[in-house]
Amino acid sequence: MSREKLEQLGIRLPMFPTTSVGSFPKPDYLMKARGEFAKKKITRADLDQAERKATEFWIRKQEELGVDVLVDGEMYRGDMVAYFAEKLIGFEEGGLVRSYGNRYYHKPIITGEVRWTSPMTVDWWKYAQSLTSRPVKGMLTGPYTVMDWSFNEHYPDRRATCLALAAPIRQEVEALIQAGAKIIQVDEPACSVRPEELPLIIESMHVVTDGLPAYFISHLCYGAFETIYPGMLDLPVDNFDMEFSNSAFDMLDLFRRHRYTKDISFGVVDVHTHVVEPESVVEERLRRGLEVLPKEAVWVDPDCGLKTRTVDEAIGKMEALVRVAKTFRT
Ligand SMILES: [Zn+2]
């Protein structure tokens, strides 16, 4: 359990801390503003204003719901890889490819040496944190996932590409810490696509996190974890954030066979369904997790980002999980 580490960082959290993975749905006025900006009908400043308004909405909403560790909701992001590719030097925008479901994104192309020149997320983090006294997570996409979801035309192989990306991502982590962030999430949803590359994911995460004073979470999303567990426990982060509700709790069997040793952000609501789960269902899910996991290690959150749900569904799901976490505390 890394509660000690959090306390050293000055963060006190209740049992079963509640959080969310990162993204919330964009309100209608922001979707409209994004469309108008794309057609050059409004300025970047107008879009920025809509993004700030939506960020404030989600910060207030999370506070109202009683969430413990907040996120900015990613109102300024389109895609989790393209956003960073647009900000870093060395990338060009590629053609549209399908990511999941019916969503498409511009798969970035690495055409030169990747470099960090200025903070990519720090202003948003600062703005979100200025609106609340609760901790707000810094959020980045990890080097392995950026590598896997981009085309590479510059580096000799996947390893060189991944490690070249790790350095600028560490610079962003350092900038977040400098700004005051204490909990930083480095997402690696691609972590299980090639099990033989697990050592590379671990090596690159060392580059990103080693020696830095922050509590690190990695959202691993879903995947063939049976192919990389228990080896993945060597990733140098404090907390894995994983899907459980939509994957029939398969991971729990793995944890039974080989003890799980980190904190865990345990997904108790499914982000792929419009149905807002009743509290009894959420309770049952958390109870199943606690049959295997020590209660001190468990954070409570949704399976994944809620950006594909409606605003009301996202609020409903967060409300249910916060209520259940509170019940379990007593
Ligand atoms: Zn996910």
Side-chain angles (χ1 to χ4, degrees):
M1 174 59 183
S2 314
R3 194 162 291 260
E4 232 167 66
K5 182 174 188 183
L6 283 165
E7 286 184 3
Q8 281 164 10
L9 291 163
I11 294 186
R12 295 191 81 97
L13 295 174
M15 284 294 289
F16 307 117
T18 52
T19 189
S20 66
V21 173
S23 68
F24 282 126
K26 295 180 176 75
D28 290 343
Y29 57 82
L30 177 53
M31 290 309 287
K32 187 164 163 253
R34 285 168 68 90
E36 287 176 344
F37 178 70
K39 288 184 211 137
K40 299 193 166 63
K41 283 188 187 160
I42 62 168
T43 64
R44 176 68 242 185
D46 296 330
L47 176 60
D48 198 63
Q49 202 179 10
E51 289 170 347
R52 288 168 77 91
K53 182 178 164 190
T55 304
E56 180 171 10
F57 167 79
W58 281 115
I59 292 286
R60 299 272 173 258
K61 192 50 79 180
Q62 291 170 89
E63 279 197 323
E64 218 175 284
L65 292 170
V67 179
D68 300 300
V69 176
L70 277 48
V71 296
D72 66 21
E74 300 176 5
M75 295 297 107
Y76 48 89
R77 277 199 209 175
D79 170 77
M80 68 181 287
V81 166
Y83 177 79
F84 294 96
E86 281 161 22
K87 304 263 170 195
L88 290 164
I89 305 293
F91 282 90
E92 280 175 25
E93 186 181 86
L96 274 180
V97 298
R98 193 167 179 164
S99 61
Y100 53 92
N102 282 318
R103 299 180 78 83
Y104 288 80
Y105 75 109
H106 287 278
K107 187 166 176 173
I109 309 167
I110 300 170
T111 54
E113 187 195 339
V114 177
R115 281 182 299 121
W116 179 97
T117 49
S118 58
M120 303 180 276
T121 59
V122 174
D123 284 349
W124 282 112
W125 179 84
K126 275 195 202 161
Y127 174 60
Q129 187 64 80
S130 75
L131 299 168
T132 178
S133 57
R134 297 180 180 222
V136 176
K137 289 196 264 197
M139 285 179 306
L140 304 167
T141 305
Y144 184 82
T145 297
V146 176
M147 179 271 295
D148 193 59
W149 293 0
S150 302
F151 294 114
N152 163 45
E153 295 179 354
H154 179 75
Y155 294 100
D157 53 36
R158 285 168 64 87
R159 180 168 186 275
T161 312
C162 182
L163 294 175
L165 286 161
I169 291 169
R170 181 187 176 94
Q171 283 175 285
E172 184 69 13
V173 170
E174 288 172 343
L176 278 165
I177 291 173
Q178 186 112 44
K182 302 219 161 49
I183 302 177
I184 297 177
Q185 185 174 305
V186 183
D187 297 333
E188 287 289 18
C191 70
S192 67
V193 292
R194 297 192 190 187
E196 71 280 10
E197 287 183 340
L198 179 63
L200 175 58
I201 304 172
I202 293 169
E203 184 182 3
S204 58
M205 192 63 89
H206 272 290
V207 174
V208 174
T209 67
D210 271 6
L212 295 177
Y215 177 91
F216 287 100
I217 302 175
S218 189
H219 174 61
L220 304 182
C221 213
Y222 64 92
F225 294 125
E226 67 281 4
T227 61
I228 57 167
Y229 190 83
M232 65 191 238
L233 292 172
D234 290 336
L235 262 161
V237 298
D238 302 289
N239 182 321
F240 283 146
D241 184 345
M242 281 184 278
E243 165 184 299
F244 285 90
S245 303
N246 185 52
S247 54
F249 300 87
D250 293 345
M251 280 306 283
L252 293 178
D253 290 332
L254 295 178
F255 296 169
R256 274 190 192 95
R257 269 176 265 149
H258 187 289
R259 194 171 69 89
Y260 179 80
T261 52
K262 293 181 187 294
D263 290 349
I264 192 160
S265 300
F266 192 78
V268 292
V269 294
D270 187 348
V271 302
H272 299 288
T273 161
H274 291 289
V275 177
V276 174
E277 291 91 337
E279 281 169 42
S280 59
V281 169
V282 179
E283 257 177 49
E284 179 51 29
R285 289 173 179 169
L286 184 52
R287 211 180 301 282
R288 282 179 73 173
L290 292 171
E291 284 169 10
V292 186
L293 296 158
K295 61 181 190 301
E296 299 76 20
V298 176
W299 293 36
V300 180
D301 79 342
D303 271 357
C304 190
L306 285 162
K307 70 175 177 184
T308 58
R309 300 279 58 91
T310 66
V311 169
D312 287 343
E313 287 162 6
I315 292 171
K317 283 173 184 274
M318 290 305 295
E319 191 171 22
L321 75 84
V322 170
R323 284 226 184 110
V324 168
K326 285 185 175 164
T327 312
F328 274 66
R329 277 171 204 163
T330 48

